[in-house]
Amino acid sequence: MAAGADQHGVAGRAADPAERPAHGRPGESEPVGGRGHALGAVAAWSTAIGAGGLAGNAGGGLLVQYLPWQALFLAYVPLALALLVWVSRVAPRVPRQTVGLDLPGSALLALGASALLFGIIEGPGRGWLSATVVGAFALALVLFAVFVRHGLRAAHPILDPRLFRLPRLRAGSIGIAVTFFGMFALFYVNAQFLQYVKGYSPVQAGGAIVPLALGMMVFTKFGVRGAERCGEARTAGAGLALITAGLLLLSTADAHASYLLYLVFLVVMSAGAGLAMPTLSHAIVASVPASRSGMGSGLQGAARELGAALGIAVVGTALSARLASGTGHGAAAATAFTDAMALGYRIAAGVVLVVGAAVVSGLRSGAGARRSGA
């Protein structure tokens, strides 16, 4: 499973250069049409990411309802092949890059992230002060430090640490990570709550979250307009605040909550994601020099994946910590799961709130630096 997940991640990051035409080709500071066109392109890209993830939830529920769980993986093989043929015909060509892969940097980043996630996941079971968990966190710290040292010395690093001196890029990257942190906290728990607590079938659980995708498509347009009229800091801040509020509202849901009320909570989450994602994505790609546009796409991908993984790990850890002593059966099990879910959502909301405040501060600093340099 781990090897398959690693291969999946490699394939996903290999597709990142295909995003570059939406953000601007090498040598262009903005796509043709200026800033408004650039924000529109990023908005479409952000909507596609959210819609794709939620389509996976709905489609996965349909598959699990009628087929063995292995169908979740096998069903995507013909779909991926069909998309490969289609994209090869319609995707615009970009100048070929001659820079080789940074295998040492990639390995250091992957190993560091794996050690960090291992420590978070194993903390409740082994003890946060156990030698294994403390060693995992220490190893992650060492590996990330070596990764930074390598990036500063390599001729063509996978990620140049010097880019993080740019406040706008730094804030955008952290903001994208924490946005996906909050959203994947929801994705991880949602289906379990709807099936184990509310008694939904897999199909019903998958369909119940589809309105979230529709909401993201609608609110992404407001995110684009908000960034143009009110600035990136206010728009992204409003989006992250709504994600925080949505997580706190979801923490109040229980077996007696109606779906209509649950839907309102999902709409709050979708509004937050729709405002935050295009704004933060554009903050990243507009900060990266044109000659490093591919690195900007890769940075977004890494931020998304790391944020999503941490969101799942943190909420999953909260669930396992609360449920470690046993859940009983029937109503007792549902109550125990609901209490554990509420804890996970509140922890995630706290993380989004605190990190979101830092992101807003960084975007304001970046805006001030741009005005000073203008």
Side-chain angles (χ1 to χ4, degrees), residues 176-182 184-185 301-313:
I176 282 289
V178 80
T179 297
F180 276 76
F181 176 95
F184 273 77
R304 293 196 308 264
E305 297 293 343
L306 182 60
L310 288 173
I312 292 171

Side-chain angles (χ1 to χ4, degrees), residues 255-314:
H256 305 292
S258 67
Y259 175 70
L260 182 60
L261 181 62
Y262 194 75
L263 178 61
V264 172
F265 300 164
L266 293 179
V267 170
V268 174
M269 290 286 290
S270 69
L275 291 175
M277 284 202 301
T279 306
L280 294 165
S281 296
H282 186 264
I284 296 173
V285 298
S287 301
V288 178
S291 60
R292 295 186 175 183
S293 58
M295 189 175 291
S297 295
L299 179 58
Q300 286 193 78
R304 293 196 308 264
E305 297 293 343
L306 182 60
L310 288 173
I312 292 171
V314 168

Side-chain angles (χ1 to χ4, degrees), residues 351-365:
V351 172
V352 176
L353 178 63
V354 173
V355 178
V359 169
V360 171
S361 177
L363 289 174
R364 286 176 176 168
S365 298

Side-chain angles (χ1 to χ4, degrees), residues 92-108:
R93 300 295 189 264
V94 298
R96 182 180 296 275
Q97 303 294 311
T98 58
V99 177
L101 295 176
D102 179 16
L103 294 179
S106 301
L108 287 168

Side-chain angles (χ1 to χ4, degrees), residues 107-113 115 136 138-149:
L108 287 168
L109 183 58
L111 291 173
L139 178 60
L141 184 62
V142 171
L143 288 169
F144 285 137
V146 176
F147 170 76
V148 172
R149 181 182 177 87

Side-chain angles (χ1 to χ4, degrees), residues 112-125:
S114 298
L116 175 62
L117 292 171
F118 178 85
I120 294 173
I121 293 170
E122 295 297 323

